[in-house]
C-alpha cells in the first residue's frame, strides 16, 4: 500500500451535480465490466465516456477502471451501476467465495503451476 | 487518463478471483503484487469515512473533503480465471476498509518480516477476525534473522495446518509458490 492520505474533494463537482442514482448497486471491486454491443459513447458525460472508451478494448475489473479514471473506487462503483442500469455497460459478478468450488481452486492451481 | 499502456484483457467468461496480500507497512506487499502482476501495479483510491467503505450514494462524500488511501493491485490472467491481487494495509485503524476490501476474497497471503515480527500482530488480528483462510509468507530480507519455523509458528500463534512459507517477494516464481501454498491450503480445508 502506498500512503496517500490527503484531504481533497472526493467527487468532482460535475459528478456530484449529475446525481448518480442507481437503485441497486451490485458492483464489487472484482466485478468485470464491459461495454454492451452497439453502444456509442457520444453524448455521455465525461467520466462515463472515459469509462466506455477505456472498456472498448475489452473487459476490466471495476477496481482497475477506478485506477485508470483516477477516481475513488466508491465513485466508479456508482458510475458503473448507473451505466449498467442505462444499458450501456454489462457486468460479470465474481462468484461467491465463502465456499469456493474445488474446480475453481484447481483452475487457479493448474494456471499458477503452468507459468 | 488517456491511453492504456498495456495490451491484453481478461475474457468476459474468465472467473474473477480476489486474493489479498496483507502485511504491515514496508513488508513488501507492493513488490509482491508487482512480481505477480501481468500489468504494472495500479493504485486505486479508497475513501476512509466513518461508515467505512459502505458508501452507496454520493451524498455523504460529495460535499466534503475526505481522507483517502491508495491500494495497490495487480492482475494475473490464467486459463479460465483472472486473479486480482490486492495489497491490503495491515493496521487495525483500517479495520472498516478491511472488512469491505476482503469481502469475497478466496484467501489472504500474510506477508511477514522476521526483523519486526510484532508488526504482523495487527494483520493476524484482522485476518482472523474476518474469518478468512490464509497462509503466512515470510519475506526474506538479506539481514533477516533465521528463526526456525516452529519458533515463528509459536510467535505468530499459527494453527499447525496453516502454511508457513519463505518467499522472495521480488521473484515472480517465488511469489507464485507462496500463492500455490495458499490455494492448496484452501483446497485442503474444503469439507
Amino acid at each position: 500500500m502506498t500512503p496517500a492520505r490527503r484531504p481533497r474533494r472526493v467527487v468532482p463537482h460535475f459528478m456530484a451535480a449529475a446525481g448518480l442514482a442507481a437503485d441497486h448497486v451490485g458492483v464489487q471491486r472484482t466485478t468485470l465490466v464491459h461495454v454492451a454491443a452497439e453502444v456509442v459513447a457520444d453524448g455521455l458525460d465525461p467520466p462515463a465516456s472515459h469509462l466506455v472508451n477505456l472498456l472498448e478494448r475489452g473487459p476490466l475489473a471495476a477496481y482497475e477502471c477506478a485506477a485508470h479514471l483516477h477516481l475513488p473506487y466508491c465513485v466508479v462503483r456508482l458510475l458503473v451501476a448507473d451505466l449498467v442500469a442505462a444499458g450501456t455497460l454489462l457486468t460479470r459478478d465474481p462468484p461467491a467465495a465463502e465456499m469456493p468450488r474445488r474446480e475453481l481452486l484447481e483452475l487457479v492451481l493448474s494456471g499458477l503451476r503452468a507459468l | 487518463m488517456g491511453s492504456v499502456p498495456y495490451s491484453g484483457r481478461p475474457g468476459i467468461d474468465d472467473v474473477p478471483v480476489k486474493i489479498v496480500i496483507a502485511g504491515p507497512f514496508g513488508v513488501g506487499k507492493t513488490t509482491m503484487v508487482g512480481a505477480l502482476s501481468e500489468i504494472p501495479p495500479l493504485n486505486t483510491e479508497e475513501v476512509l469515512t466513518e461508515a467505512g467503505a459502505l458508501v452507496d450514494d454520493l451524498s455523504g462524500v460529495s460535499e466534503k473533503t475526505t481522507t483517502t488511501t491508495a491500494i495497490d493491485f495487480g492482475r494475473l490472467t490464467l486459463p479460465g480465471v483472472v486473479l486480482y491481487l490486492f495489497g491490503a494495509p495491515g493496521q487495525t485503524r483500517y479495520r472498516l476498509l478491511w472488512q469491505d476490501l476482503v469481502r469475497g476474497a478466496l484467501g489472504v497471503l500474510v506477508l511477514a518480516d522476521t526483523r519486526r515480527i510484532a508488526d504482523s500482530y495487527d494483520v493476524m488480528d484482522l485476518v482472523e477476525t474476518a474469518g478468512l483462510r490464509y497462509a503466512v509468507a515470510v519475506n526474506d530480507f538479506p539481514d533477516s534473522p533465521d528463526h526456525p519455523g516452529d519458533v515463528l509458528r509459536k510467535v505468530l500463534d499459527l494453527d499447525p495446518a496453516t502454511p508457513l512459507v519463505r518467499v522472495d517477494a521480488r521473484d515472480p516464481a517465488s511469489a507464485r509458490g507462496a500463492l500455490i501454498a495458499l490455494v492448496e491450503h484452501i483446497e485442503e480445508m474444503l469439507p
Side-chain angles (χ1 to χ4, degrees), chain A residues 1-11 15-16 20 25 28-30 32 34 50 54-55 57-61 63-64 66-75 77-78 92-95 97-102 104-109 111-113 115, chain B residues 1 4 6 9-16 25 29-30 39 42-48 53 55-58 61-62 65-73 75-76 78-79 81 84 86 89 93-94 100-101 104-106 133 176 179-180 183-184 187 190-191:
Chain A
M1 185 211 58
T2 307
R5 310 182 98 218
R6 58 187 192 276
R8 66 160 176 76
R9 286 187 63 95
V10 169
V11 181
M15 282 186 74
L20 303 176
V25 180
Q28 301 173 49
R29 290 175 180 77
T30 52
L32 283 179
H34 61 120
H50 282 143
L54 180 69
L55 292 168
R57 271 161 285 181
L60 287 175
Y63 216 59
E64 203 168 337
H68 285 299
L69 295 176
H70 302 292
L71 287 170
Y73 160 70
C74 66
V75 173
R77 175 170 179 264
L78 299 175
R92 182 200 164 102
D93 290 332
E98 282 67 31
M99 185 54 69
R101 289 180 299 117
R102 194 174 292 275
L104 180 64
L105 296 173
E106 285 295 332
L107 265 182
V108 175
L109 282 174
L112 286 172
R113 287 174 182 141
L115 285 176
Chain B
M1 258 164 274
V4 184
Y6 54 87
R9 296 285 174 101
I12 198 62
D13 292 327
D14 291 338
V15 180
F25 181 73
K29 299 186 297 290
T30 307
I39 55 169
L42 295 166
N43 272 253
T44 296
E45 269 188 82
E46 294 277 358
V47 174
L48 305 173
V55 179
D56 259 355
D57 64 67
L58 299 182
V61 289
S62 63
T65 62
T66 308
T67 309
T68 65
T69 189
I71 302 285
D72 298 309
F73 83 111
R75 150 157 61 90
L76 180 58
L78 304 170
V81 291
Y84 287 102
F86 290 70
R93 67 190 165 91
Y94 291 116
D100 197 61
L101 189 67
L106 194 67
R133 303 167 195 82
R176 283 197 297 271
L179 279 192
I180 288 169
V183 181
E184 283 175 343
E187 191 172 36
L190 287 182

Side-chain angles (χ1 to χ4, degrees), chain A residues 1, chain B residues 23-31 111 113 115-116 139 141:
Chain A
M1 185 211 58
Chain B
F25 181 73
V27 77
K29 299 186 297 290
T30 307
T31 305
L111 258 189
D113 178 349
R115 297 170 304 179
R116 40 195 188 93
N139 193 8
F141 290 91

